[in-house]
């Protein structure tokens, strides 16, 4: 019999409604799985056993009483630890927030609860979501369930590892430059960054406000759609949230790609991309063509500058967003002789090296005399990226590329080379700069058995078409591999 | 106040912060209430908890549009929020949401009048921002450097704040004060803030530089902070002008710096110099969309403008008040309202104006009440003015009656009767008394008839004595003259 922890959200939901098992049993299966995998992975910073138990019990009572909250009712879900959770410690994997327990839920978390989801815990991340490997966590790295010597990607690496290993059915991540899609690619998951503004950022601890979006990591396209549908929609607490109707994201999953125009971003199909990744991407494109899609090569010249622009805009916003962590009101305080000294010591001791690096970069980029050359220039590149996308979408319905230039790399491999690490996001960053949706779908394993992700990008609010193509990619790839660690049998370390 | 040293000219610009008394804060739903226990009007947003986001308060935007409209500004259709980054414990986010390029309002003007000289002061910009929390520095000195510890109250954090910046058009401390007073009147008339300087709901910073008279190049300026009244602004600027002139006259140079006004010593002292001043690293606030203030909104505000102080003063003057009195009346909406209503009902303008700005204000001050708390209605003023015009009350007696009315002793006639102050202005009654007096002093009448006017006074005195002082002396004199055939 299949372990309950490995079910899809749809199958788990069916079983719950058919009375085959209860939400509490789903949760127990999740705990059993976590008991095995956490020793190897460290996907979670906090497991909220008490809160989850109450939610699962309530989900069962409600279902018994005929109240059905929809697809996520009774489903164990994990939340990245940069999302505010009422009464559950939220540290963003930083020392500076050690012991901080928020008095409020992020809107996305509140909506998960309203949809009946059982929130099992808070997942590890690169400190304040700054990184591509989850090695920059003050509480230790998360490992990849496909190979525990390797990183799960980042910054939503904890969410990715948990879902890939089966210690959650799905998870929320946040994506500023690829932080959902790249770990999804590295752990064989579907990870979607929706249109900027589609999911409220209220309660997401800001890294780079104009780029951050919350989205799902899941084991299939339909699962990802279910989670995203539950959290999307206007929120009066976020002035940048989209006020119109939420697109029908799951309506066309079975529609196929006959006649769909798919653009291949030529700049992301060559130099810097691992040969096996390129090969998997090319064969995925061939399968799409075979399924009736019209394939067009599209040039996006601004892509070359997008990475540099991103590494000015994101640090600039982060330098301001992280200013509030000063030891005055919450979190760590390291005493000093004067208030300035207290703030400086708190920040020097509370932030890790990558966070400090980005704060310094951003502070410099915004400084008088440098603003025009750096931040101002980066904003111009951002405009060019948007124009490139807009021009492309006049010809095609979606754009495709690899998600990550490589498969999962070894822990420590890029730690001393920030530039190499930054390059991990070269394919994902343009969508953040444009505010467009993009999703990563697993399509193959490389020669060492590590998953390869394929990216589908769409214009703003084009989620329906994006998931339609993603579903075809998923079907045609027939990717049914599971991470070796996705087991509840005891595994010797 | 002090005059500017001969041969020198001062160039002054003023930045004013006004807290808007909206129901909720600028970027969250917390109430704006200054009487609350510390840290009770707070939420994740105004405490800058991780993950909280701002949402702009439309009522506050309406308030700044009203201010900008009253100051004759261009209201920008599209306006942007920026972050002003600096670290301070009472600034929860360690950045202030403010404006930089594209403020809500630009290019306005205020006309102020100093000793009958109208001066146009340009308004560079009026922009929207948020207030900080309050620091209470415990221990010696009251400044953060000397404090044992500091207590923070975030109730004020996020209260809507409007900053109004003038062009460097001001030349004297008197003009600066007149500008401050006029701006305060305008803000109060609009009803967007109580604009109290002592309580900090209106705060002034003055930029001051001096130069040789007749030159056009600007001198190095200093910024004066901590002026808590119009008078202290005037004094601080006067001190600063003198100080800068002394420095320059002695061959020194003025340092560009922020200076702190000390009310007790009457001096400004250096706070921080330009070199130490911060780079605020302004950039556009990514958490807020650009503000859009469309023509409909602008027109709606324009149509709902109340009568502004300058318009009110002009109208009071047109109604018969002199400039000075009109100015005093316009300072108080209540006094102006009473004046308006009384004059409209037919009362003589000058008389009513002088009562309101004289007896009424003096009485209120004496008993420590506000004008609104006094027992005075426009009807009272109309009745009292009619009694004076009809000769029933002398000007002096009218003031006594007014005091009685203010004290709540009743209406003017009631008070006049109770005080026995009504004049006999019935000519028949006076004629009878005159006849009696003349009969007693036939020689006096004869002298008058033969051209000696001196006994008139004597006879008037006799009549006044016989009536117990209540006869209208003018009427008495007239009747005596008539009796003598003059």
């Amino acid at each position: 019999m299949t372990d309950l922890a490995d079910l899809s959200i749809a199958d788990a939901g069916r079983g719950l409604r058919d009375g085959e098992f209860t939400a509490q049993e789903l949760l127990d299966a999740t705990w059993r799985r976590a008991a095995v995998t956490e020793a190897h992975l460290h996907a979670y910073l906090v497991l909220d056993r008490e809160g989850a138990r109450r939610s699962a019990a309530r989900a069962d009572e409600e279902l018994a009483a005929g109240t059905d909250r929809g697809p996520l009712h009774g489903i164990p879900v994990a939340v990245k630890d940069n999302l505010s959770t009422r009464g559950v410690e939220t540290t963003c994997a930083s020392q500076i927030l050690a012991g901080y327990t928020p008095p409020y839920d992020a809107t996305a978390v509140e909506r998960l609860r309203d949809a009946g989801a059982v929130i099992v815990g808070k997942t590890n991340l690169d400190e304040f979501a700054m990184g591509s490997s989850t090695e920059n966590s003050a509480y230790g790295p998360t490992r990849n369930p496909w190979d525990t010597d390797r990183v799960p990607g980042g910054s939503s690496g904890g969410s990715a590892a948990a879902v890939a290993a089966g210690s959650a059915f799905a998870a929320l991540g946040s994506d500023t430059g690829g932080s959902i899609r790249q770990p999804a690619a590295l752990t064989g998951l579907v990870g979607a960054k929706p249109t900027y503004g589609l999911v409220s950022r209220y309660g997401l601890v800001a890294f780079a406000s104009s780029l951050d979006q919350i989205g799902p990591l899941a084991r299939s396209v339909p699962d990802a759609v279910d989670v995203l549908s539950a959290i999307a929609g206007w929120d009066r607490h976020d002035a940048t949230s989209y006020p119109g109707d939420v697109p029908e994201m799951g309506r066309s999953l079975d529609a196929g790609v006959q006649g769909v125009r798919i653009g291949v971003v030529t700049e992301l199909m060559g130099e810097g991309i691992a040969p096996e990744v390129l090969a998997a991407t090319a064969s995925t494109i061939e399968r799409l063509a075979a399924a009736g899609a019209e394939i067009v090569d599209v040039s996006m010249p601004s892509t070359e500058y997008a990475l540099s622009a991103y590494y000015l805009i994101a640090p600039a916003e982060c330098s301001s967003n992280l200013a509030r962590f000063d030891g005055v009101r919450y979190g760590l305080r390291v005493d000093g002789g004067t208030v300035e000294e207290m703030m400086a010591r708190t920040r020097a001791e509370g932030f890790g090296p990558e966070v400090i690096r980005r704060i310094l970069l951003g502070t410099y980029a915004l400084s008088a005399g440098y603003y025009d050359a750096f931040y101002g220039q980066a904003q111009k590149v951002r405009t060019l990226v948007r124009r490139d996308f807009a021009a492309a979408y006049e010809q095609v319905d979606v754009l495709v590329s690899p998600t990550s230039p490589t498969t999962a790399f070894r822990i420590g491999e890029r730690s001393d080379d920030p530039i190499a690490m930054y390059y991990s996001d070269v394919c994902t960053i343009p969508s953040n700069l444009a505010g467009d949706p993009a999703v990563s779908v697993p399509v193959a394993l490389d020669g060492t058995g590590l998953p390869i992700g394929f990216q589908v990008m769409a214009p703003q609010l084009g989620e329906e078409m994006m998931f339609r193509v993603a579903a075809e990619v998923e079907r045609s790839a027939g990717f049914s591999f599971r991470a070796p660690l996705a087991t509840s049998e005891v595994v010797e370390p | 106040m002090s005059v500017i040293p001969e041969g020198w000219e001062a160039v002054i610009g003023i930045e004013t912060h006004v807290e808007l008394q909206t129901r909720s804060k600028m970027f969250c739903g917390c109430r704006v209430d200054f009487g609350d226990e510390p840290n009770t009007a707070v939420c994740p947003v105004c405490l800058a908890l991780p993950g909280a986001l701002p949402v702009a308060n439309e009522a506050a935007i309406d308030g700044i549009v009203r201010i900008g409209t009253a100051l004759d500004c261009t209201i920008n259709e599209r306006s942007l929020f920026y972050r002003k980054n600096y670290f301070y414990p009472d600034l929860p986010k360690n950045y202030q949401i403010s404006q930089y390029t594209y403020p809500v309002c630009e290019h306005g003007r205020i006309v102020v009048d100093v000793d009958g000289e109208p001066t146009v002061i340009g308004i560079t910009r009026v922009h929207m921002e948020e207030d900080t929390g309050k620091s209470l520095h415990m221990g010696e000195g009251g400044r953060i450097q000397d404090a044992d510890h500091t207590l923070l109250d975030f109730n004020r954090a996020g209260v809507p704040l409007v900053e109004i910046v003038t062009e460097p058009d001001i030349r004297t401390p008197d003009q600066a004060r007149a500008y401050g007073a006029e701006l305060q009147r305008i803000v109060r008339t609009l009803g967007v803030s109580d604009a109290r300087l002592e309580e900090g709901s209106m705060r002034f910073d003055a930029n001051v530089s001096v130069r040789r008279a007749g030159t056009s190049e600007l001198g190095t300026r200093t910024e004066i902070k901590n002026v808590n009244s119009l008078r202290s602004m005037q004094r601080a600027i006067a001190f600063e002008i003198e100080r800068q002139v002394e420095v320059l006259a002695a061959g020194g140079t003025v340092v560009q710096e922020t200076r702190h006004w000390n009310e007790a010593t009457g001096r400004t002292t250096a706070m921080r110099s330009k070199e130490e001043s911060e780079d605020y690293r302004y950039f556009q606030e990514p958490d807020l969309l650009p503000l859009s203030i469309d023509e409909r909104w602008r027109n709606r505000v324009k149509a709902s403008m109340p009568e502004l102080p300058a318009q009110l003063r002009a109208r009071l003057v047109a109604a018969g008040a002199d400039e000075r009195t009109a100015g005093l009346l316009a300072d108080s909406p209540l006094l102006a309202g009473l004046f308006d209503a009384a004059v409209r009902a037919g009362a003589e303008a000058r008389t009513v104006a002088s009562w309101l700005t004289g007896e009424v204000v003096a009485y209120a001050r004496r008993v420590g009440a506000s004008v609104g708390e006094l027992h005075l209605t426009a009807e009272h003023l109309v009745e009292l003015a009619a009694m004076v015009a009809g000769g029933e009350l002398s000007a002096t007696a009218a003031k006594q009656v007014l005091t009685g009315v203010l004290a709540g002793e009743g209406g003017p006639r009631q008070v006049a009767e109770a005080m026995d102050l009504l004049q006999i202005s019935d000519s028949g009654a006076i004629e009878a008394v005159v006849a009696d007096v003349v009969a007693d002093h036939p020689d006096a009448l004869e002298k008058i008839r033969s051209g000696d006017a001196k006994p008139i006074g004597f006879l008037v005195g006799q009549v006044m004595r016989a009536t117990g002082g209540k006869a209208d002396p003018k009427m008495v004199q007239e009747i005596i003259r008539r009796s003598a055939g003059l």
Side-chain angles (χ1 to χ4, degrees), chain A residues 309-394:
Chain A
Y310 173 86
Y311 276 100
L312 288 168
I313 292 168
E317 292 183 12
C318 114
S319 71
S320 174
N321 283 330
L322 269 59
R324 65 186 59 192
F325 305 105
D326 58 5
V328 173
R329 283 146 299 129
Y330 46 75
L332 180 73
R333 177 186 292 180
V334 182
D335 281 330
T338 64
V339 71
E340 287 87 357
E341 227 172 88
M342 181 278 283
M343 287 180 171
R345 285 188 186 171
T346 299
R347 291 168 65 78
E349 290 188 27
F351 290 137
E354 181 61 27
V355 171
I356 289 177
R357 179 180 297 125
R358 297 203 195 189
I359 290 174
L360 291 177
L361 266 174
T363 303
Y364 190 77
L366 288 174
S367 294
Y370 299 102
Y371 181 97
D372 290 339
F374 295 126
Y375 191 72
Q377 200 66 18
Q379 292 291 5
K380 286 180 193 158
V381 171
R382 189 169 188 177
T383 305
L384 292 180
V385 169
R386 286 195 179 122
R387 275 191 206 152
D388 271 2
F389 271 110
Y393 289 128
E394 282 178 14

Side-chain angles (χ1 to χ4, degrees), chain A residues 19-391:
Chain A
E20 287 172 32
F21 44 79
T22 64
Q24 292 171 87
E25 284 165 346
L26 279 182
L27 180 62
D28 287 340
T30 304
W31 291 147
R32 274 198 304 278
R33 178 63 57 88
V36 173
T37 56
E38 275 305 282
H40 302 276
L41 300 179
H42 188 228
Y44 286 93
L45 292 175
V46 180
L47 286 171
D48 181 19
R49 294 183 185 275
E50 190 51 31
R53 193 190 56 74
R54 277 198 307 270
S55 302
R58 200 183 66 161
D60 285 333
E61 283 162 27
E62 285 183 343
L63 268 190
T67 304
D68 190 334
R69 294 173 178 268
L72 299 188
H73 193 123
I75 305 295
V77 174
V79 170
K80 188 177 182 180
D81 199 36
N82 59 351
L83 284 157
S84 186
T85 44
R86 191 206 317 254
V88 179
E89 191 181 14
T90 301
T91 65
C92 301
S94 181
Q95 282 295 349
I96 211 159
L97 277 174
Y100 167 69
T101 302
Y104 77 106
D105 272 334
T107 299
V109 170
E110 194 177 50
R111 289 185 179 174
L112 276 187
R113 293 192 203 281
D114 288 347
V118 174
I119 295 172
V120 291
K122 306 296 292 291
T123 55
N124 200 9
L125 62 150
D126 287 298
E127 184 178 0
F128 286 105
M130 295 174 199
S132 306
S133 68
T134 317
E135 290 167 291
N136 302 332
S137 164
Y139 305 103
T142 294
R143 289 162 187 272
N144 193 322
W146 293 82
D147 177 350
T148 53
D149 287 337
R150 293 178 186 266
V151 303
S155 64
S156 310
S159 286
V163 178
S167 59
F169 283 71
L172 294 188
S174 66
D175 189 316
T176 305
S179 279
I180 289 174
R181 291 161 286 161
Q182 183 257 13
L186 270 49
T187 56
L189 296 176
V190 174
K193 179 202 94 74
T195 301
Y196 183 81
L198 192 62
V199 178
S200 167
R201 292 182 295 115
Y202 188 71
L204 168 66
V205 182
F207 161 15
S209 314
S210 73
L211 302 162
D212 296 341
Q213 261 299 280
I214 299 166
L217 290 106
R219 294 197 288 253
S220 70
V221 171
D223 283 5
V225 168
D226 282 343
V227 175
L228 181 53
S229 300
I231 61 173
W234 180 76
D235 176 20
R236 67 190 175 90
H237 292 300
D238 178 359
T240 64
S241 79
Y242 174 66
D245 290 337
V246 174
E248 284 282 355
M249 293 180 278
R251 191 161 55 187
S252 308
L253 298 187
D254 300 325
V257 292
Q258 183 67 50
V260 174
R261 296 167 304 164
I262 294 177
V264 181
V265 182
T266 51
E267 283 81 359
L268 299 178
M269 286 298 285
E271 205 189 333
I273 312 291
E276 282 185 283
V277 173
L278 278 181
T281 308
S283 46
T284 304
I285 293 167
E286 276 164 29
R287 286 193 299 274
L288 289 170
E294 185 189 319
I295 309 296
V296 188
D297 276 347
V298 172
S299 173
M300 306 252 303
S302 66
T303 310
E304 194 186 329
Y305 309 104
L307 192 69
S308 317
Y310 173 86
Y311 276 100
L312 288 168
I313 292 168
E317 292 183 12
C318 114
S319 71
S320 174
N321 283 330
L322 269 59
R324 65 186 59 192
F325 305 105
D326 58 5
V328 173
R329 283 146 299 129
Y330 46 75
L332 180 73
R333 177 186 292 180
V334 182
D335 281 330
T338 64
V339 71
E340 287 87 357
E341 227 172 88
M342 181 278 283
M343 287 180 171
R345 285 188 186 171
T346 299
R347 291 168 65 78
E349 290 188 27
F351 290 137
E354 181 61 27
V355 171
I356 289 177
R357 179 180 297 125
R358 297 203 195 189
I359 290 174
L360 291 177
L361 266 174
T363 303
Y364 190 77
L366 288 174
S367 294
Y370 299 102
Y371 181 97
D372 290 339
F374 295 126
Y375 191 72
Q377 200 66 18
Q379 292 291 5
K380 286 180 193 158
V381 171
R382 189 169 188 177
T383 305
L384 292 180
V385 169
R386 286 195 179 122
R387 275 191 206 152
D388 271 2
F389 271 110

Side-chain angles (χ1 to χ4, degrees), chain B residues 172-315:
Chain B
T172 68
D174 289 355
Q175 283 177 3
R177 178 177 184 155
Y179 165 79
E182 182 69 357
L183 184 59
Q184 186 180 42
R185 279 189 287 265
I186 291 170
V187 166
R188 286 180 176 170
T189 303
L190 293 171
V192 292
S193 173
D194 61 10
R196 291 160 101 107
L197 295 165
E198 326 74 56
E199 288 167 23
S201 56
M202 186 175 213
R203 318 194 269 271
F204 295 113
D205 300 328
N207 286 294
V208 178
S209 67
V210 299
R211 63 186 173 197
R212 293 279 180 188
T215 58
S216 59
E217 208 173 309
L218 287 170
T220 304
R221 69 168 193 272
T222 59
E223 183 178 6
I224 312 171
K225 290 196 177 284
N226 193 43
V227 289
N228 299 320
S229 70
L230 290 169
R231 201 177 106 81
S232 59
M233 173 161 73
Q234 189 179 19
R235 285 177 67 203
I237 293 172
F239 173 85
E240 189 56 23
I241 293 170
E242 240 174 278
R243 186 190 71 82
Q244 290 186 14
V245 168
E246 258 173 49
V247 168
L248 293 176
T253 50
V254 171
V255 180
Q256 183 165 349
E257 62 192 356
T258 304
R259 297 181 66 87
H260 184 89
W261 168 249
N262 186 320
E263 186 71 42
T265 62
R267 308 173 62 83
T268 64
T269 50
M271 278 173 79
R272 54 171 183 259
S273 72
K274 183 80 194 315
E275 291 86 280
E276 298 164 46
S277 82
E278 297 185 67
D279 172 4
Y280 292 119
R281 305 189 312 279
Y282 279 100
F283 73 102
Q284 204 186 321
E285 167 58 279
D287 287 332
L288 293 166
L289 300 178
L291 270 179
S292 159
I293 299 160
D294 62 12
E295 202 179 346
R296 251 183 71 188
W297 191 344
R298 299 198 298 269
N299 286 339
R300 180 165 47 73
V301 168
K302 221 178 270 175
S304 70
M305 272 289 116
E307 182 177 48
L308 295 171
Q311 297 166 324
L312 174 59
R313 283 194 302 270
R315 195 165 56 75

